[in-house]
Amino acid sequence: SYLADDPRPQPPQEPAPELCCNSGCELCVFDRYSDALERYREALQAWRGATLAQVRIRPRFRRKLAD
């Protein structure tokens, strides 16, 4: 099926607080996480749009995609 060929994007794993050294690094683990989270949200939005455009779906399934 189409959904099996295009799996839903997975969110990035949030780093543990102790991974931050609190020294103001230019590339803090939390900055990198924030960037990854933004890319995930964009990918999820694109995936939802592509899935809805490619597959004729029932309203019940459409609600699941919106979650």
Side-chain angles (χ1 to χ4, degrees):
S1 79
Y2 176 76
L3 293 177
D5 295 337
D6 187 17
R8 181 183 179 127
Q10 297 299 306
Q13 185 174 2
E14 184 173 3
E18 60 270 11
L19 291 178
C20 178
C21 66
N22 293 308
S23 67
C25 298
E26 187 173 325
L27 293 175
C28 177
V29 294
F30 290 105
D31 293 335
R32 293 173 64 190
Y33 171 70
S34 179
D35 293 343
L37 194 57
E38 181 61 31
R39 288 191 303 273
Y40 159 72
R41 289 178 178 146
E42 290 170 1
L44 183 60
Q45 184 177 8
W47 177 83
R48 286 178 175 157
T51 300
L52 292 175
Q54 295 292 326
V55 179
R56 185 174 188 155
I57 57 176
R58 298 184 304 253
R60 180 176 56 111
F61 186 69
R62 185 181 299 268
R63 282 193 302 273
K64 286 184 182 180
L65 289 175
D67 293 340

